[in-house]
Amino acid sequence: MDRPFGLLAELTYRCPLACAYCSNPVNLAEHTDELGTDEWLRVFAEAHRLGALQLHLSGGEPLLRRDLVELVRGAQDLGYYTNLITSAIGLSRDRALRLRDAGLAHVQISIQADEAAVSDRIAGIPSFQRKVEAARLVKELDWPLTVNVVLHRQNIDRIGPILERAEELGADRIELANTQYYGWAWRNRASLLPSRAQLEHAEAVVRAARDRLAGHTDLIYILPDYYGEYPKPCMGGWGKRQLAITPGGDALPCLAAHELPLDKANVREHPLDWIWSESPVFQRFRGTDWMGDPCRSCSRREVDFGGCRCQAFQLTGDATRTDPVCHLSPDHDLVQAAVRAANEPGRPLAEALTPRVNRPGEPHRTP
């Protein structure tokens, strides 16, 4: 059986931003009891014994955890390569210095656009200038910097200036990832799904940028699923190389699987080695035995593993269905209808978004 290579630790769902494509659960009020410091350190140790070498500290906004420095130091002691995935809101010089001294190896900062007006509108709060200042601080402290941009209908036309901004910030790696449509992004799909013309322009810009940046900046461009002929292999295969832990301790094969109607496996109740090797949630879609046709008889079944289970569930209500992105899926018309709508003549590019918010008065337990 494959062993996990990377651990995604979602330390909290709390976040100062209100991005309309947020991967946080829509029902945030049901997710308030976060793992404490000792619990996270135990999980890090158990995952490392399983084989995990990379630790991605994410959220929400992980900087809202007051014990973040302690968590990084504990991960460093175990031998992890640690990566902080952050909006950078709250990354002060003092905090950055303490994180560096604790052993943090890499910083990934998200930006929403190349300039303040658009970026702040998409993020839901004034944040662009603080992100720029934080990125410069990261480079000043000699950390490798990844700039991550979630692309969608309302910013993909700015991909050229976005790349220029990332270069100006000294990014060692640039990740341009088209939106995945579940959770909050599903609610906002009509306002986020780009047109074919937008994608063709973006791909031309990316090709030119790859030639220009070759040798000194890695450029990753992830195409939107809805425009693909075949689906992507979810996390390289369900329960194959990656695992995610939610703020409340649920262990999942991917960060979106909390939406699926599956039995939970929580690190407060079970050791991580049992969860990885025996729990129903990790066994459910592992390998190919669970597949029905057309996946079962397809020559690509061990290439894309039937595609994304979360996407199949989101579109059809049945997580066992072939990912409707696949042109062989009997449900492919669901994706085609969304694509047709995104390409209607005269369709505006900047449509109203439903922002992700924490409801007023919503409680949080902060370690």
Side-chain angles (χ1 to χ4, degrees):
M1 187 182 66
D2 293 299
R3 313 301 291 176
F5 177 74
L7 170 63
L8 175 64
E10 296 188 288
L11 300 180
T12 182
Y13 285 139
R14 291 170 289 132
C15 183
L17 305 187
C19 304
Y21 49 79
C22 182
S23 62
N24 274 353
V26 173
N27 56 336
L28 282 175
E30 298 178 14
H31 301 271
T32 58
D33 189 16
E34 298 174 1
L35 295 180
T37 307
D38 291 342
E39 290 174 306
W40 273 119
L41 292 175
R42 175 177 57 79
V43 168
F44 295 171
E46 291 182 7
H48 195 264
R49 286 195 294 272
L50 275 173
L53 300 175
Q54 295 182 352
L55 175 61
H56 305 281
L57 301 166
S58 181
E61 176 46 67
L63 287 168
L64 290 174
R65 291 281 301 213
R66 292 180 294 190
D67 59 352
L68 183 59
V69 172
E70 186 176 350
L71 294 176
V72 169
R73 184 176 294 111
Q76 167 71 11
D77 291 343
L78 288 166
Y80 277 106
Y81 181 90
T82 50
N83 174 34
L84 178 66
I85 302 172
T86 177
S87 70
I89 305 303
L91 187 63
S92 65
R93 176 174 291 274
D94 175 69
R95 195 85 179 280
L97 288 170
R98 289 190 288 128
L99 286 167
R100 187 187 63 176
D101 292 344
L104 183 66
H106 184 276
V107 180
Q108 175 179 312
I109 295 177
S110 64
I111 64 172
Q112 282 68 36
D114 60 291
E115 56 92 20
V118 179
S119 181
D120 293 348
R121 176 175 61 81
I122 295 171
I125 67 167
S127 55
F128 177 77
Q129 192 56 43
R130 283 180 284 178
K131 289 171 176 285
V132 169
E133 292 169 0
R136 290 174 177 158
L137 175 60
V138 166
K139 294 306 296 181
E140 178 189 336
L141 297 180
D142 203 30
W143 266 316
L145 170 66
T146 292
V147 170
N148 173 269
V149 187
V150 177
L151 296 174
H152 45 78
R153 189 178 189 88
Q154 305 202 22
N155 68 358
I156 196 168
D157 290 332
R158 308 181 69 92
I159 196 167
I162 285 172
L163 282 165
E164 291 173 4
R165 174 65 73 172
E167 289 182 70
E168 182 264 328
L169 293 173
D172 301 282
R173 178 184 173 94
I174 304 170
E175 294 183 357
L176 305 171
N178 275 275
T179 304
Q180 300 289 310
Y181 295 103
Y182 42 71
W184 288 97
W186 171 257
R187 289 191 170 192
N188 285 287
R189 187 181 68 173
S191 301
L192 294 172
L193 186 62
S195 68
R196 290 188 186 277
Q198 287 180 301
L199 289 174
E200 289 171 0
H201 170 260
E203 289 168 9
V205 172
V206 168
R207 283 195 298 271
R210 280 205 173 112
D211 292 339
R212 185 177 71 254
L213 298 173
H216 62 88
T217 304
D218 291 333
L219 176 56
I220 309 300
Y221 179 62
I222 301 174
L223 292 168
D225 286 357
Y226 279 38
Y227 285 91
E229 184 178 9
Y230 296 104
K232 302 180 183 70
C234 179
M235 303 295 285
W238 184 274
K240 190 174 178 66
R241 298 296 287 160
Q242 304 286 334
L243 72 138
I245 309 294
T246 70
D250 287 337
L252 299 167
C254 80
L255 61 88
H258 58 74
E259 299 190 353
L260 300 181
L262 298 173
D263 292 336
K264 303 297 184 184
N266 194 286
V267 297
R268 284 173 167 154
E269 301 169 1
H270 304 285
L272 202 56
D273 59 350
W274 179 88
I275 292 175
W276 175 263
S277 61
E278 299 184 46
S279 68
V281 65
F282 273 81
Q283 293 287 355
R284 182 64 182 87
F285 300 112
R286 183 176 267 154
T288 60
D289 289 346
W290 62 271
M291 293 178 179
D293 283 326
C295 292
R296 181 184 295 275
S297 56
C298 181
S299 62
R300 292 178 55 87
R301 64 184 178 276
E302 294 190 13
V303 176
D304 56 39
F305 302 100
C308 177
R309 298 301 88 221
C310 302
Q311 193 157 252
F313 178 73
Q314 188 75 76
L315 286 164
T316 72
D318 183 353
T320 68
R321 302 282 287 181
T322 299
D323 188 338
V325 161
C326 181
H327 76 287
L328 300 174
S329 166
D331 304 305
H332 187 53
D333 61 300
L334 298 172
V335 170
Q336 289 179 309
V339 170
R340 284 194 299 272
N343 287 276
E344 290 175 352
R347 180 80 178 269
L349 297 180
E351 301 178 61
L353 294 165
T354 300
R356 195 279 306 157
V357 295
N358 285 337
R359 287 177 287 278
E362 181 175 311
H364 288 293
R365 174 177 174 268
T366 307

